[in-house]
Amino acid sequence: MTEAILLVGGKGTRLRPLTVHTPKPMVRAAGVPFLTHQLARARAAGVDHIVLATSYLAEVFEPYFGDGSALGLHIEYVTEEEPLGTGGAIRNVASRLHSGPDDPVLIFNGDILTGLDIRALVATHESTDADVSLHLTKVTDPRAYGLVPTDETGKVLAFLEKPQSPEEIVTDQINAGAYVFRRSLIDTIPTGRPVSVERETFPDLLAAGAHLQGMVDSTYWLDLGTPAAFVRGSADLVLGRAPSPAVPGRCGDRLILPTARVAPDAKLTGGTVVGEGAFVAEGARVFGSTILPGAVIEPGAIITDSLIGTRARVGERSVLTGTVIGDGAVVGPDNELRDGARVWCDARIPAGAVRFSSDQ
């Protein structure tokens, strides 16, 4: 097990405004770009060569990670000129792989935070002589996901995309976004057009009689596609609930990065992160939130389950719950923003302009 492909080309539209200036895998979670956690976990599992399949804001990745040597990896970059979907992206980077035809190639979606036992997935792939092996996880409500029923040996029986009626929900197992491909099968994916592995590649392989193996691993798993999920994922990394060797400090209630300043009486709990150069003033209370580099939290502000963008500012006594503040935005004093609010990059909200309760 030496090679992997990381799919990091998505636009992250559900995460905007976090992804206006930053591709989704480069948004900071627990103090470092989220992609750092995935790379570090792959390296810890024995991977040494990774190809990043980039597209949106592709120019951001290589200046940060370089050749990967700082992480003990050899990283290469391939950019899609036009979006090719998951399958098309995998096929587009095939020429950079070094593996032999029967060797395993790991493939990860760039927006999944997971405690998956990567070595166990590869071991399952090899012991069952599968063509493709899939990480499956169990969820309470599978309607938003693709269902993957298996037989008693774990062999995949079908792929059912986002069922709606109770009759269609035949399993609670879903495609968790990590795969092992037999190298030769990657070359069977069509070139030069968008291809979805979930809707085209996997069903076609199944119909052609290929052996697709599922491995259920129900350790920590979270799709970071929404702002609320991203904030929770970052907090879980800081708290130690989600495993990563890349967290830049000890796990605990809070993570304060070098050059960040926090007033002695400010209260930070719930896996809060304060990024480099950020400032949290006296009397502020921050729970389960991410304060990105250079942001300012003014006296008495109360911030819960929120993300404050780079160089953004939250005014005195403002109360934010489940909110995303874009890079460079300013929320004036005495505002109240609740679940789902998104303030766009560089926007200005005057003092006392938005409230959900009375001004008393």
Side-chain angles (χ1 to χ4, degrees):
M1 181 177 58
T2 60
E3 289 199 296
I5 298 169
L6 258 168
L7 305 174
V8 294
K11 290 186 176 180
T13 51
R14 290 185 297 157
L15 279 178
R16 289 170 74 88
L18 296 180
T19 51
V20 170
H21 303 303
T22 307
K24 177 168 52 176
M26 295 299 287
V27 177
R28 288 175 178 248
V32 296
F34 173 67
L35 179 56
T36 310
H37 299 290
Q38 291 185 304
L39 293 172
R41 294 198 74 249
R43 181 69 193 97
V47 175
D48 57 24
H49 178 224
I50 293 184
V51 185
L52 296 187
T54 67
S55 180
Y56 176 66
L57 296 176
E59 67 278 6
V60 171
F61 294 92
E62 189 166 3
Y64 189 91
F65 291 107
D67 64 1
S69 56
L71 293 169
L73 293 164
H74 172 50
I75 298 178
E76 295 187 67
Y77 305 84
V78 177
T79 302
E80 301 167 24
E81 301 308 321
E82 297 289 334
L84 293 171
T86 46
I90 293 166
R91 182 66 180 88
N92 192 49
V93 308
S95 63
R96 301 294 185 92
L97 298 172
H98 306 150
S99 302
D102 289 327
D103 290 339
V105 177
L106 275 159
I107 298 169
F108 301 103
N109 283 347
D111 54 3
I112 302 295
L113 178 59
T114 175
L116 167 69
D117 186 336
I118 297 170
R119 291 182 186 273
L121 181 62
V122 175
T124 297
H125 178 79
E126 293 179 331
S127 66
T128 59
D129 196 30
D131 294 305
V132 179
S133 298
L134 297 88
H135 171 209
L136 308 179
T137 193
K138 295 178 180 289
V139 295
T140 305
D141 183 0
R143 287 175 297 177
Y145 304 99
L147 303 191
V148 186
T150 55
D151 68 13
E152 64 278 359
T153 69
K155 198 169 183 178
V156 173
L157 300 174
F159 290 89
L160 309 171
E161 276 300 311
K162 296 183 180 177
Q164 296 307 312
S165 68
E167 295 76 26
E168 293 177 291
I169 302 175
V170 296
T171 180
D172 59 355
Q173 296 175 176
I174 67 164
N175 175 359
Y179 321 113
V180 183
F181 270 69
R182 188 188 300 271
R183 167 68 185 87
S184 58
L185 284 191
I186 292 175
D187 291 331
T188 68
I189 299 173
T191 61
R193 66 172 178 84
V195 180
S196 164
V197 289
E198 301 87 355
R199 292 178 174 82
E200 183 175 344
T201 304
F202 292 155
D204 286 356
L205 285 171
L206 208 57
H211 176 184
L212 276 68
Q213 184 73 21
M215 187 192 85
V216 177
D217 182 313
S218 293
T219 53
Y220 186 98
W221 185 88
L222 186 63
D223 177 352
L224 301 185
T226 66
F230 201 96
V231 170
R232 180 154 63 93
S234 177
D236 285 347
L237 283 161
V238 175
L239 292 165
R241 294 173 181 165
S244 170
V247 176
R250 294 175 59 186
C251 291
D253 232 16
R254 63 185 193 173
L255 177 64
I256 301 173
L257 276 291
T259 72
R261 294 180 299 133
V262 177
D265 68 341
K267 188 174 183 181
L268 310 179
T269 57
T272 287
V273 184
V274 184
E276 296 91 338
F279 175 56
V280 180
E282 58 272 11
R285 287 183 282 156
V286 187
F287 178 86
S289 297
T290 295
I291 313 300
L292 289 182
V296 174
I297 311 302
E298 294 186 354
I302 301 173
I303 299 173
T304 304
D305 298 335
S306 296
L307 190 145
I308 312 303
T310 303
R311 301 178 311 282
R313 178 178 291 267
V314 177
E316 296 181 53
R317 298 173 302 280
S318 281
V319 178
L320 278 56
T321 303
T323 299
V324 174
I325 308 299
D327 296 342
V330 175
V331 177
D334 300 307
N335 281 290
E336 185 183 353
L337 302 177
R338 288 193 179 173
D339 289 331
R342 306 186 191 207
V343 177
W344 234 247
C345 300
D346 300 313
R348 299 288 187 271
I349 297 181
V354 179
R355 297 197 64 82
F356 284 80
S357 58
S358 75
D359 59 359
Q360 301 302 312

